[in-house]
Amino acid sequence: TISINVLEKDANDVTNLSELCYNIQRLPIHIRSRKNGDKILLSSGYKKIKDLLIDEKIGISKRNNILLAVDEEENVLMVFGVKKSRILKSINDNNIIIRVEENHE
């Protein structure tokens, strides 16, 4: 099972690749699985999620279960556990953390 938690961010919080630091005023965002044609903006430009997962050597079974955070315009903000989009650098006053955790039971 997967749990998604939204926490208030304090000034000392440092996020990792399973956490998205975001501004509550810019919600909603959606957590979903990937679709054909999804792209993420990296420092080098746009890259297809499929190619990113291959480059990062993510196995096919894990690739099929990967989650994305997307904004209202379907811009990929983050591939959880893999990469964050360059779009996030332009968002100021981040005051929440969205954490995705996989619970192994």
Side-chain angles (χ1 to χ4, degrees):
T1 60
I2 294 173
S3 64
I4 300 169
N5 300 300
V6 179
L7 313 162
E8 198 172 322
K9 180 185 183 304
D10 90 21
N12 301 322
D13 285 334
V14 177
T15 59
N16 59 38
L17 287 175
S18 66
E19 299 174 329
L20 172 63
C21 201
Y22 206 65
N23 184 317
I24 198 166
Q25 304 302 320
R26 296 184 65 136
L27 292 176
I29 64 168
H30 305 279
I31 310 295
R32 65 166 173 80
S33 45
R34 64 191 180 105
K35 298 178 186 173
N36 284 338
D38 277 337
K39 293 179 184 169
I40 188 169
L41 181 60
L42 303 175
S43 52
S44 58
Y46 280 97
K47 183 168 213 154
K48 288 184 179 178
I49 301 298
K50 178 182 132 186
D51 295 338
L52 173 70
L53 296 176
I54 290 169
D55 292 351
E56 296 287 328
K57 311 234 182 314
I58 307 291
I60 202 122
S61 61
K62 190 172 178 190
R63 252 186 262 167
N64 293 333
N65 295 319
I66 214 103
L67 292 176
L68 310 179
V70 298
D71 65 15
E72 284 188 291
E73 286 87 43
E74 290 289 307
N75 295 308
V76 175
L77 302 172
M78 180 174 185
V79 180
F80 284 98
V82 182
K83 196 71 87 174
K84 295 180 182 185
S85 171
R86 196 172 83 194
I87 294 170
L88 294 173
K89 289 187 191 296
S90 66
I91 298 173
N92 299 320
D93 302 322
N94 291 323
N95 50 12
I96 59 171
I97 293 175
I98 300 164
R99 180 180 298 150
V100 173
E101 296 174 303
E102 196 170 345
N103 306 314
H104 302 285
E105 295 170 7

